[in-house]
Amino acid sequence: MNRINDLFKRKKNDILNVYVTAGYPKLESTVSVMKALQDSGVDMIELGMPYSDPLADGPVIQASSTQALANGMTIATLFDQLRDFRKQVYVPVILMGYMNPVLQYGFEKFCQHAADAPIDGLILPDLPEYEFETEYGPIMQRYGLDFIFLVTPETSEERIRKLDSLSTGFLYAVSSSSTTGKDKDMNAVENYLQRLKSMQLKNPVLVGFGIKDKPTFQQACQHANGAIIGTAFIKALENTADVEGAAKKFITDIKS
C-alpha cells in the first residue's frame, strides 16, 4: 500500500504535514511525538534526520538538530527506534535529511532500512536532479520509496515541470528562497501558488516555509493541497515536560 497516494485519494485539500526532528527534545521522544501528532489529526509526518550542516533549515530547526545530535541520535539509532513504530503510527511518514550522512550510512542500505520500517518517502534537498535520475532514483524506486523535490518562486516553469515529473507522492512548494522559520507575507506567496495551480501538475502540492498557525495554514490551503509546518511546531516543544500535551495543543489550535 502506498500511504501517500492513498492519503491524497481520500483527501484532496487541507492536508496538514508536520515536521519533527528525530531525537528531539529527548532521544527517546521520536515515536511518542509522532503518535501525538497523529492522534491530534495530522495527515502526514516529516521526520527530520538531524545533521550538523542543514542548508535549508533556519536557526530553530538547526538548534533542534544540534540538541538531537547531542542526545545521541544517529541514522542507525533512528532505524532502531522505527523498528516497530507502525504498530502505533499509520499516517504517511517521510524522512527529511541531507545526503552526507545518508551516503556515510550507505545509500542502498539506507533505502532498504527505510523500506523495512516502513517509511513512505524521502526528502533530500541537496540531492541534484541529475544524480537522482542517473544513480539514486532507481534505488529508491526499487525499495518503493517516494521522492519529493522542492521548487521555489524562482524555479522556471520548465524546471518545475521536470521536477514534478520526477517526484512521486507530492511536490514541495517552498514559499520563498530562504531558510525555514522566516516570517512570510502570505499574500505575496499567492501569485506563486496560483501559478503552480494553473500548471495542472502531476503531483499534489504542499506548501512549506513560513506556515506557522491557523491563518497561514488556511491561506496556504486556498491555493494548494495542504501545507507543511516545522519551525513553529519545534518551538512548541521547547522547554516543556509534557511533549505529547504540547503537540496536541499545537495541532488542535491549527485545526480547530
Side-chain angles (χ1 to χ4, degrees):
M1 181 185 74
N2 186 308
R3 290 177 193 82
I4 300 176
N5 285 354
D6 185 54
L7 169 62
F8 284 111
K9 279 178 187 166
R10 287 186 289 105
K11 187 174 180 181
K12 305 292 185 194
N13 302 106
D14 300 326
I15 302 286
L16 177 56
N17 180 358
V18 174
Y19 171 96
V20 61
T21 302
Y24 178 85
K26 300 271 196 268
L27 179 63
E28 64 279 4
S29 299
T30 309
V31 176
S32 59
V33 172
M34 292 166 69
K35 186 171 189 314
L37 286 171
Q38 170 187 272
D39 293 351
S40 305
V42 163
D43 298 295
M44 188 184 304
I45 295 168
E46 188 177 320
L47 183 58
M49 299 178 288
Y51 177 47
S52 57
D53 189 23
L55 301 174
D57 295 323
V60 172
I61 291 180
Q62 281 191 30
S64 73
S65 269
T66 301
Q67 181 62 55
L69 291 169
N71 291 344
M73 180 52 74
T74 64
I75 290 178
T77 300
L78 176 58
F79 284 134
D80 280 343
Q81 292 182 351
L82 295 177
R83 185 165 288 133
D84 294 315
F85 92 109
R86 284 296 179 195
K87 292 177 180 176
Q88 302 179 66
V89 178
Y90 49 81
V91 298
V93 177
I94 295 150
L95 288 180
M96 185 274 179
Y98 295 88
M99 283 295 286
N100 191 302
V102 173
L103 291 175
Q104 287 183 7
Y105 189 80
F107 194 86
E108 181 149 5
K109 181 171 81 163
F110 174 85
C111 290
Q112 180 183 352
H113 289 177
D116 287 346
I119 290 295
D120 301 289
L122 306 176
I123 298 175
L124 300 165
D126 58 344
L127 172 56
E129 166 195 338
Y130 177 77
E131 279 78 0
F132 171 83
E133 284 193 272
T134 56
E135 187 169 356
Y136 299 109
I139 300 172
M140 294 179 215
Q141 288 158 14
R142 191 154 67 242
Y143 288 98
L145 296 166
D146 283 326
F147 188 77
I148 294 97
F149 276 99
L150 286 72
V151 298
T152 75
E154 288 70 43
T155 309
S156 69
E157 181 170 334
E158 180 185 10
R159 183 164 169 76
I160 289 170
R161 291 196 184 281
K162 174 70 171 177
L163 295 178
D164 177 52
S165 75
L166 295 177
S167 293
T168 52
F170 64 92
L171 194 64
Y172 191 137
V174 177
S175 63
S176 67
S177 296
S178 66
T179 56
T180 56
K182 295 280 181 69
D183 283 338
K184 305 291 185 298
D185 176 0
M186 288 307 292
N187 293 318
V189 176
E190 280 189 19
N191 287 340
Y192 158 57
L193 297 180
Q194 286 172 337
R195 178 165 69 100
L196 290 178
K197 199 171 186 178
S198 71
M199 291 173 67
Q200 298 184 309
L201 299 168
K202 174 191 84 172
N203 287 291
V205 174
L206 297 184
V207 188
F209 290 42
I211 317 299
K212 60 183 180 180
D213 51 21
K214 185 175 181 177
T216 51
F217 176 68
Q218 289 179 332
Q219 205 167 1
C221 290
Q222 287 175 14
H223 305 287
N225 300 90
I228 302 162
I229 297 179
T231 295
F233 178 64
I234 296 295
K235 280 183 180 175
L237 297 183
E238 289 175 352
N239 308 315
T240 179
D242 181 11
V243 171
E244 289 88 349
K248 287 176 180 172
K249 181 185 184 308
F250 182 83
I251 302 306
T252 301
D253 287 347
I254 286 164
K255 294 186 70 91
S256 62

